[in-house]
Amino acid sequence: MQPVGTTLGAAVLGGIPASWYTRAASAGTDVLDLPADLLDRASSAPAEVLIVAGEVGGGTGGLVLKAAKEAFTEAALVTGIAGAGVMVVAAIWALVTLQSVSSNLDLAEEHEHQLH
């Protein structure tokens, strides 16, 4: 069960920053009056925005970088909040489901019993 949880967690929490960054970077760079192809490239990935900012240069390039930094920070914040939310739900689930388990349970003895 652990590999499934790890895989799902990585997929969900890994997809959030990418999609959030794309949305936020697109919104932040729309006001810069750049050609559509540069806007698409600038909002596609943090590495690509460095190339676009270098191509544009000057003050506009700096504004492109600023918008990308803000989008990246926003994406990281949203992902952190989502991760914290998942952990709170998991903690509540564990509390509810493990409430009936005895605190005096000797796991070593139980494991030994299952082996024989």
Side-chain angles (χ1 to χ4, degrees), residues 17-19 21-23 25-26 29 37-49 52:
S19 62
Y21 171 82
T22 300
R23 186 205 56 77
S26 179
T29 55
D37 64 321
L38 289 179
L39 286 175
D40 288 343
R41 286 177 46 210
S43 64
S44 66
E48 188 67 29
V49 78
V52 171

Side-chain angles (χ1 to χ4, degrees), residues 12-115:
V12 171
L13 291 178
I16 290 173
S19 62
W20 199 277
Y21 171 82
T22 300
R23 186 205 56 77
S26 179
T29 55
D30 279 348
V31 297
L32 298 178
D33 198 33
L34 293 173
D37 64 321
L38 289 179
L39 286 175
D40 288 343
R41 286 177 46 210
S43 64
S44 66
E48 188 67 29
V49 78
L50 295 173
I51 297 169
V52 171
E55 290 174 5
V56 172
T60 305
L63 291 173
V64 168
L65 284 177
K66 182 179 181 216
K69 286 178 186 177
E70 289 172 0
F72 185 82
T73 302
E74 186 178 321
L77 177 66
V78 168
T79 304
I81 291 170
V86 167
M87 295 308 295
V88 167
V89 169
I92 292 169
W93 176 78
L95 181 64
V96 169
T97 59
L98 296 176
Q99 211 166 25
S100 63
V101 175
S102 172
S103 61
N104 296 326
L105 182 64
D106 186 354
L107 295 179
E109 184 179 308
E110 181 67 27
H111 181 68
E112 213 31 65
H113 178 55
Q114 287 177 357
L115 290 177

